[in-house]
Amino acid sequence: MIKDSEKELEKKFQEKIDRGESIEPKDWMPERYRKQLIRMMGQHAHSEIVGMLPEGNWITRAPSLKRKAVLLAKVQDEAGHGLYIYSGTETLGISRDEMNSELLSGKAKYSSIFNYPTLSWADMGAIGWLVDGAAIINQTALAKCSYGPYARAMVRICKEENFHHKQGYEILATLMKGTEEQREMAQDAVNRFWWPSMMMFGPSDKNSPNSEELMRWKVKRFSNDELRQRFVDRTVPQAENIGIKIPDPALKWNEETRHYDFGEINWEEFYNVISGKGICNKERLQARNEAHDKGAWVREAALAYAKKQASQEFAA
């Protein structure tokens, strides 16, 4: 009887998704759906938080007050994005402390792109244009995902990511109008960040263990390879517009498919980075752990204040 009842619930759950209705926190959902969302949303939130590190390193070294202010605003936005998604994930029954512990211990994954170093100011442009450009393509699809809290969080996040994308593109466009040294710096940044940005969409469809299930539940609306193709098609004309060369000798327009063909991704590098062997994996986790330890007094003070306020309200 229990199994039959659960099968009926799963059937109604899938029918609701097929009708295009949202799943809300109090709705019944399969345990597998809940766990997949926790994994996916947790990784997304961690990526937003860890993503502050490569850019925060350049706030004090930005070339002008305007650039400092804009970059500071962007890093602040990323923190907010992480908090939105952590809050959404908590509706699935996991605490933020638990998610944070998994990040600090290295158990939880985050986007591989943030384990690459930022070597020059032009990298701020490459990250804004390529990394946030890839994020927008992924997140606009997530804004229509089946889980309501996740979809709603994406609406504001996508608006802010568009600002980040334009900011990065403007940095590179400005450099490409500058001296030969500045143009070389811009091109070098794109050379280093192009392929890691392509990897952001995850493994190819034939090697993706979760895509089929997530697409059936409409958590994902498009496959990894579909999103990657969309990224290439949108980004190549933008590169040509400012004189940037995409570092892919196999890149060419295909008249038959009406899409750009592109070269093979180095999947060995991708799997090395997500398994903890990237250039900055240890550095990123060390920085997050140090920040967590140094912020202990703030958390303790906030908790003590909250307890004092609660006791006073109770006494009144």
Side-chain angles (χ1 to χ4, degrees):
M1 288 295 292
I2 295 176
K3 288 184 178 180
D4 291 342
S5 176
E6 188 166 325
K7 285 183 179 179
E8 186 64 27
L9 287 171
E10 287 185 2
K11 181 183 177 182
K12 291 181 179 179
F13 172 82
Q14 188 63 52
E15 288 173 349
K16 185 174 184 178
I17 287 177
D18 292 341
R19 290 194 300 269
E21 298 178 26
S22 292
I23 304 299
E24 298 298 336
K26 292 184 179 180
D27 294 340
W28 184 90
M29 64 186 73
E31 182 63 15
R32 175 70 177 171
Y33 179 84
R34 187 184 76 86
K35 287 183 176 180
Q36 281 281 42
L37 277 170
I38 289 174
R39 178 192 61 80
M40 186 173 171
M41 294 172 69
Q43 288 180 6
H44 192 166
H46 298 328
S47 298
E48 299 286 355
I49 298 301
V50 176
M52 295 188 292
L53 297 173
E55 295 173 310
N57 184 41
W58 278 91
I59 291 174
T60 58
R61 295 186 285 166
S64 69
L65 181 59
K66 172 189 171 183
R67 296 294 189 192
K68 284 181 173 65
V70 173
L71 185 57
L72 183 62
K74 183 186 177 186
V75 171
Q76 179 178 276
D77 285 346
E78 306 296 1
H81 297 173
L83 295 178
Y84 302 154
I85 303 169
Y86 279 136
S87 295
T89 314
E90 285 180 309
T91 65
L92 293 161
I94 186 172
S95 71
R96 194 171 308 188
D97 285 342
E98 187 177 348
M99 286 185 280
N100 192 48
S101 295
E102 290 181 351
L103 171 63
L104 296 176
S105 69
K107 179 182 178 181
K109 298 288 192 296
Y110 55 86
S111 181
S112 60
I113 191 74
F114 301 118
N115 289 316
Y116 291 85
T118 47
L119 306 178
S120 73
W121 168 249
D123 288 12
M124 298 302 97
I127 288 176
W129 177 46
L130 297 176
V131 177
D132 293 316
I136 289 168
I137 288 173
N138 191 39
Q139 291 169 0
T140 49
L142 287 172
K144 298 178 182 179
C145 82
S146 61
Y147 190 58
Y150 198 16
R152 289 189 289 273
M154 288 302 104
V155 175
R156 177 169 177 174
I157 289 174
C158 285
K159 290 179 180 178
E160 293 177 348
E161 291 290 7
N162 270 301
F163 156 72
H164 302 164
H165 179 254
K166 291 176 182 178
Q167 174 241 359
Y169 189 60
E170 191 267 341
I171 289 175
L172 291 179
T174 301
L175 289 171
M176 290 303 291
K177 294 177 182 177
T179 64
E180 182 178 352
E181 184 180 4
Q182 288 172 324
R183 291 193 296 272
E184 289 176 355
M185 183 170 63
Q187 183 64 60
D188 174 67
V190 172
N191 290 347
R192 286 182 287 104
F193 277 94
W194 173 256
W195 290 108
S197 297
M198 292 280 280
M199 297 175 194
M200 282 180 65
F201 299 98
S204 61
D205 292 344
K206 62 182 179 181
N207 294 317
S208 179
N210 299 300
S211 287
E212 183 179 351
E213 187 173 57
L214 292 171
M215 290 182 71
R216 174 163 54 86
W217 284 328
K218 294 186 179 180
V219 174
K220 291 179 67 171
R221 295 284 182 154
F222 303 95
S223 73
N224 295 349
D225 288 339
E226 287 176 317
L227 292 171
R228 197 170 1 253
Q229 184 67 64
R230 187 176 297 186
F231 170 70
V232 174
D233 290 346
R234 291 186 181 183
T235 307
V236 172
Q238 295 171 354
E240 293 173 346
N241 187 50
I242 59 174
I244 287 282
K245 294 181 179 179
I246 300 298
D248 180 359
L251 184 71
K252 64 178 180 179
W253 176 252
N254 188 321
E255 282 292 345
E256 292 185 10
T257 63
R258 306 300 294 173
H259 294 290
Y260 283 95
D261 294 335
F262 53 88
E264 182 65 24
I265 293 170
N266 184 346
W267 292 115
E268 183 179 354
E269 177 183 334
F270 170 75
Y271 286 113
N272 276 336
V273 175
I274 64 173
S275 65
K277 300 174 185 175
I279 301 172
C280 296
N281 285 68
K282 292 181 179 179
E283 179 183 331
R284 300 296 183 234
L285 280 182
Q286 182 180 352
R288 286 305 310 151
N289 274 279
E290 287 179 357
H292 181 77
D293 294 341
K294 290 179 180 178
W297 70 272
V298 178
R299 296 190 298 275
E300 291 168 1
L303 181 61
Y305 178 77
K307 288 181 177 179
K308 181 179 180 181
Q309 289 293 102
S311 62
Q312 289 176 347
E313 290 175 9
F314 180 78

